[in-house]
Amino acid sequence: MKHTMMTLAVALAFGLGGAAGAATPTTATPDTTAKTTAPASGMSKQDYKAQKDRIDADYKTAKKQCDDQKGNPKDVCKAEAKGKHEVAKAELEAQYKPSAKADAKVKKEKAEADYKVAKEKCEELKGNAKDVCKKDAKAAYESAKGDAKVAKAAGEKGASSAKATEERKDAREDTSDAKYAAAKERCDAMSGQAKDNCLSDVKKKFGKM
């Protein structure tokens, strides 16, 4: 009887051991299949290319529509189409590969586009009004371009705050000079004492005395 009980106990022990072994999960073999890593934005290369093709197609359509116009309106239309194209490309790049540099590029392209369109619109004017228009456009451009440079410097990895401060200082000076030129141009529409007073006031305002 004792012998029988011992046999049953051994058999039971081996049976439980086998069950435990069967329940142990096997380690999954790592998937070493190469995968294409998408940019941080999550946009796939295929989506990026599709959007880029769409932007180029939109530009061709916009340019073709300008052909129905003539003279200055046609030039303005072409400048607007080109500007939108460049801005759209920069925005796509910023979405595909986000970075401070890419964001600054968007700002820069917007500044360039606005400036070129504004200059073309000035061509419709004459005399002093045309000159003032162009210098106003230049002042706005310098301000926007300066903002882009400051944003780029502030967002660059490892860039010191001194660099951003320097860019900000340069931007202020360039913008101030452009605004000063525009203000002086307005004085040219005057004559005699009125012009002298205007120039004196402008110099005082911009610290050019």
Side-chain angles (χ1 to χ4, degrees):
M1 183 68 177
K2 289 181 179 179
H3 179 71
T4 302
M5 292 296 291
M6 285 289 291
T7 302
L8 287 172
V10 171
L12 184 59
F14 274 105
L16 290 172
T24 304
T26 55
T27 304
T29 304
D31 182 8
T32 56
T33 305
K35 295 181 180 179
T36 303
T37 303
S41 64
M43 183 185 291
S44 69
K45 189 172 183 180
Q46 289 76 14
D47 287 341
Y48 166 75
K49 187 178 183 306
Q51 290 200 43
K52 189 172 184 297
D53 290 342
R54 177 185 58 76
I55 289 170
D56 289 340
D58 287 346
Y59 175 48
K60 288 181 181 179
T61 300
K63 246 196 340 179
K64 191 172 182 180
Q65 290 175 345
C66 295
D67 291 339
D68 296 332
Q69 303 183 49
K70 294 181 179 179
N72 183 253
K74 181 176 182 178
D75 294 336
V76 172
C77 180
K78 289 169 69 175
E80 288 176 338
K82 179 67 173 176
K84 287 178 181 178
H85 181 234
E86 295 302 323
V87 171
K89 286 197 301 179
E91 289 177 336
L92 177 60
E93 289 296 332
Q95 291 172 14
Y96 186 49
K97 295 180 180 179
S99 68
K101 183 178 180 180
D103 290 341
K105 179 71 182 298
V106 172
K107 288 178 179 289
K108 180 177 178 293
E109 290 299 341
K110 285 181 177 179
E112 294 279 356
D114 289 344
Y115 180 44
K116 288 176 181 177
V117 171
K119 279 200 306 179
E120 286 297 343
K121 289 181 177 180
C122 292
E123 292 298 328
E124 190 72 11
L125 304 174
K126 295 181 180 180
N128 180 256
K130 180 177 180 178
D131 295 336
V132 170
C133 180
K134 285 187 174 182
K135 284 184 168 57
D136 280 343
K138 177 70 171 177
Y141 170 62
E142 290 296 343
S143 179
K145 186 176 68 170
D147 288 343
K149 287 183 177 180
V150 171
K152 181 182 177 183
E156 285 180 339
K157 289 183 178 179
S160 65
S161 59
K163 183 176 181 181
T165 300
E166 183 180 348
E167 289 289 5
R168 193 174 290 108
K169 179 175 176 290
D170 290 343
R172 280 199 304 265
E173 290 177 353
D174 290 343
T175 301
S176 179
D177 288 344
K179 287 183 176 180
Y180 173 57
K184 277 202 311 177
E185 195 65 53
R186 283 178 167 80
C187 296
D188 283 347
M190 306 174 187
S191 61
Q193 190 60 45
K195 181 176 181 178
D196 292 340
N197 291 340
C198 178
L199 288 171
S200 178
D201 290 342
V202 167
K203 288 179 180 179
K204 188 182 297 182
K205 179 180 178 181
F206 289 90
K208 303 293 184 180
M209 300 295 288

